[in-house]
Amino acid sequence: MDFTKLSLKRDSSEPLYLQLLAALEGAVREGALDAGERLPSERELASRLGLSRTTVAGAYRELEARGLVRSHVGRGTFVCATPEAADAPFAWRGKVSASVAYFGYSHGLRHLMLSGLSPGVISFAAGAPAFECFPIEDYLRFTEHALRRHASVALGIAPTEGQPRLRRAVGERFNTKAERVLILSGSQQGIDLIARCLIDAGDYVVVDRPGYVGAIQTFRAAGANLVGWDTARASLDELEDLLVRYRPKLIYTDPTFQNPTGRVMSLRERQDLLKLAARYHTPVVEDDPWSETYLDAAPPPPPLYHLDAHNIVIHLGTFSKTLAPGLRLGWLAASEYIVDQLALIKQHENLFTEGLGQFVIADFLTSGRYDAHMDALRREHARKRDLMRRALEKYARPHGLTFNQPRGGLHFWCRLPRGLEARAVLEAAVTEGVAFAPGEMFYPDAAGRDELRLCFSSAPAERIEEGVARFERALAVAASSTPRRGQMNVPVV
Ligand code: PMP
């Protein structure tokens, strides 16, 4: 960057070092100065701008205090990242542990969850069930019951493994022993605990490709090297090849209405996968938020957990996709040894999961009201899926969008016509007031640029068509600003 162009007003009452600070901060924020770039030495910049060295040193010191630059004796001053909030005078960024700084925590998941929260935006981004179906009356009744009859247990100190009542109820429903159930504050917590329990930095982990972004980010932050297993092909030969070549620490898969593709692994594929995993002594993490969200008459094949004869499957479940994500209640089922280890790790960040909600959910499960709710939810989800499918056929297919036919889960997985990228469409979509999840975030290797995911269940039914119409306008805007084949700078192969 050309530092002589920094705008400083010498006749202003604002001290020059603050003006220089603001100018440099602006340059970092706008990307004129990139992370890793070296600033001129204090002496050099002072002479280029006709300032005293103290003025430049004052600005650099403040930039460092704000965590924007880092000085290394003998090497110079380097831009380290984008600015923190103006009220953050202490450079926390420079204090984070080596593993956080090195492996980095991605913002993708957070953006995905927030993208639907802006007023006026119709969000097809994060996956949540239809809120209209949330059984408020039952919830109130069970809450009152828990408070009147079990307040001291529900609100008192409780086992890290979870309230025995909910462990029993989940165990009964899922057909496993209560001792093999660990209650979680959402299944994402389970993924994190498993990563902490099983992964050493540098280990290989096989993940669905494309696969759940929260798992990709968590395993990556634990220092794992991720190897993608192609979910569309689901070739067992390919999986065996990966097991032989990389000796991974675990296989993470979402076999039922997979997020994001919606694919269901057949019974045969499940059996073959388990045989391979057993042969190569590789644990399988089965992430299954969706089994109960089937929309056709027949439920999907049994979970890997129930087909497993070798005790190698850790099964994750959640109430986020069937009741509400805000309840933050999930669970896992695994060997008692693993449940014990995970509970010890869980204690470090979450002494125990909130109790009242556990009582309420246990009552839902044992009273039959959960089943009644699921029947109503499936009907509403099928209706919304059909609404979105018709809208996509009407508005988006003419633009060349192709998409799957979800038979469960909460999403359409879509492919853009050749040459169009989801990021460009998303940029236009933000202006049009509609949000979705770009495909790239579901790949461990930055592929999927021409894919995207739309959640059909969470937006109100009467907003779905309008949302897809906005999406169509975004497609048109992105297509008109994307160079067509032949006009592109790079050859299309
Ligand atoms: N696994 C998958 C495949 C998911 O899609 C999600 C949520 N999007 C989770 C786990 C985490 O869900 P929660 O923590 O809310 O239970």
Side-chain angles (χ1 to χ4, degrees), residues 1 3 6 20-39 59-60 63-64 66-70 77-84 93:
M1 116 166 215
F3 288 88
L6 289 176
L20 180 60
L21 170 70
L24 290 171
E25 195 171 1
V28 175
R29 186 181 303 113
E30 283 148 24
L33 278 173
D34 274 337
E37 213 167 304
R38 187 171 169 280
L39 293 182
Y60 277 19
L63 279 176
E64 184 156 22
R66 291 184 185 186
L68 299 180
V69 301
R70 209 56 187 284
T77 302
F78 295 84
V79 178
C80 46
T82 48
E84 294 199 14
R93 205 177 266 121

Side-chain angles (χ1 to χ4, degrees), residues 93-294:
R93 205 177 266 121
K95 304 293 178 197
V96 298
S97 73
S99 71
V100 169
Y102 185 69
F103 297 121
Y105 281 80
S106 163
H107 295 253
L109 193 56
R110 186 163 54 172
H111 286 161
L112 180 64
M113 290 184 298
L114 293 181
S115 59
L117 300 184
S118 323
V121 171
I122 300 176
S123 180
F124 302 139
F131 282 108
E132 316 81 275
C133 294
F134 186 79
I136 294 178
E137 293 309 319
D138 285 336
Y139 198 86
L140 289 172
R141 193 157 51 84
F142 293 141
T143 305
E144 181 171 4
H145 178 253
L147 282 175
R148 293 206 185 281
R149 300 281 300 276
H150 308 286
S152 65
V153 182
L155 300 177
I157 289 177
T160 307
E161 288 81 354
Q163 291 283 355
R165 180 182 273 258
L166 183 57
R167 293 178 83 194
R168 271 197 309 275
V170 168
E172 262 164 43
R173 186 175 184 85
F174 190 59
N175 195 18
T176 197
K177 275 165 60 186
E179 294 72 21
R180 292 178 61 108
V181 173
L182 175 67
I183 302 301
L184 302 164
S185 304
S187 55
Q188 180 67 41
Q189 183 179 52
I191 298 174
D192 183 52
L193 296 177
I194 292 165
R196 290 205 242 168
C197 184
L198 298 183
I199 293 173
D200 291 303
D203 281 346
Y204 283 88
V205 168
V206 171
V207 293
D208 289 346
R209 177 185 186 278
Y212 171 50
V213 51
I216 292 175
Q217 288 185 9
T218 303
F219 292 134
R220 185 166 281 147
N225 293 310
L226 302 187
V227 185
W229 178 44
D230 191 308
T231 357
R233 278 205 299 273
S235 149
L236 273 304
D237 286 343
E238 182 187 326
L239 182 61
E240 180 157 21
D241 198 44
L242 298 178
L243 294 177
V244 171
R245 189 134 40 110
Y246 295 103
R247 296 270 154 198
K249 202 58 165 295
L250 60 89
I251 301 167
Y252 165 88
T253 189
D254 171 8
T256 310
F257 308 123
Q258 199 254 0
N259 181 6
T261 63
R263 189 178 190 279
V264 180
M265 209 183 272
S266 70
L267 179 59
R268 183 66 199 274
E269 286 166 341
R270 287 170 197 242
Q271 288 162 335
D272 290 349
L273 182 147
L274 287 170
K275 267 190 227 148
L276 275 183
R279 189 179 314 145
Y280 291 95
H281 305 285
T282 311
V284 178
V285 176
E286 176 182 40
D287 192 5
D288 182 18
W290 319 110
S291 270
E292 303 230 33
T293 63
Y294 58 90

